[in-house]
Each structure stands twice: as structure tokens, then as C-alpha cells.
Amino acid sequence: MLHSTHSAILKLVTLTMLVYPATVFAEVSDKEPSADLFWKIGLAAAIICLLGTRMKPWLGIICFLPVAMWFGSRFLELHFSDVGPHLRLEQGAIYFLQAYAAFGLPLCGLLAGYVWHRKSVT
């Protein structure tokens, strides 16, 4: 016959085994950068690209390459089959839209710097 402590442990183990699949839900959001970080990096890169392209167009492109690689690696991770759907459930589609919009900032800085450079040359 089981003692009361053994019976309690057996019930606890059985309950844990039944509930365990529900507790294994892993959060994806805590392993990904926040949308705020996307905007900060995008804005800083836009200013650097603007000023670099204003001085020399090739310098702006060199300044743009690291941020393009960083955003490219983030986009690959966001659309990876193991991460993307879960991240969309946790953060929503607006998270993806903010990532792409923040990448547009350095592009705009690059283009604006080029236009500014062309106007100063003529």
C-alpha cells in the first residue's frame, strides 16, 4: 500500500505529465530585437548615410552596407519558418511592417544625401 506522501508524489507527477505540453510554450519575442531597436538603428543609419553621401556618394554606400546586412539578417530570421509564424502571433503584423519601414529610413537618407550632393556640385 502506498503511503500518503508517495500517493501525493504520484498524483503530482501524473498532473505534471498532463500539463507539461501546455507549459512548454516558448516565447519567440524575447529572442528578437524590439521594434524600438529597429527604429533607432534605422534613424542612426539614415543620418550617417545622409552625411556620408552628401560628402562622397561612394562613402554613403559604404556606410549603408553594414546596416543593409544587419537588416537583411533580421529579415531572414523574421521569415524563417520556425520563427516567423510564432513571432507574428506574439507581436502581430505591425512588428514586420515596422521592421521594413525602419529599413526604409537609411534608404531615404542615402537618396536624400545623393540629391543634396548633386545640388551642391552644380
Side-chain angles (χ1 to χ4, degrees):
M1 177 140 162
L2 291 173
H3 294 291
S4 63
T5 56
H6 294 296
S7 175
I9 291 174
L10 185 60
K11 288 179 185 177
L12 182 64
V13 168
T14 305
L15 183 63
T16 303
M17 289 176 62
L18 292 174
V19 176
Y20 183 71
T23 60
V24 178
F25 178 73
E27 289 186 12
V28 180
S29 300
D30 61 345
K31 295 161 191 71
E32 294 296 322
S34 66
D36 190 32
L37 182 65
F38 286 139
W39 288 109
K40 289 175 184 175
I41 289 177
L43 184 62
I47 293 169
I48 291 170
C49 288
L50 174 76
L51 296 176
T53 308
R54 165 64 177 91
M55 290 188 284
K56 301 280 184 186
W58 57 266
L59 184 61
I61 292 171
I62 290 174
C63 293
F64 179 73
L65 287 176
V67 88
M69 290 190 315
W70 186 82
F71 272 106
S73 69
R74 296 293 108 205
F75 294 151
L76 287 174
E77 194 170 331
L78 290 178
H79 294 291
F80 191 65
S81 62
D82 291 343
V83 177
H86 300 290
L87 191 61
R88 189 173 301 250
L89 286 174
E90 289 179 23
Q91 294 285 334
I94 194 72
Y95 181 78
F96 289 80
L97 292 173
Q98 286 187 45
Y100 283 106
F103 179 61
L105 287 177
L107 284 173
C108 290
L110 192 66
L111 292 173
Y114 183 72
V115 169
W116 193 11
H117 174 76
R118 295 295 290 171
K119 285 187 178 186
S120 68
V121 172
T122 57

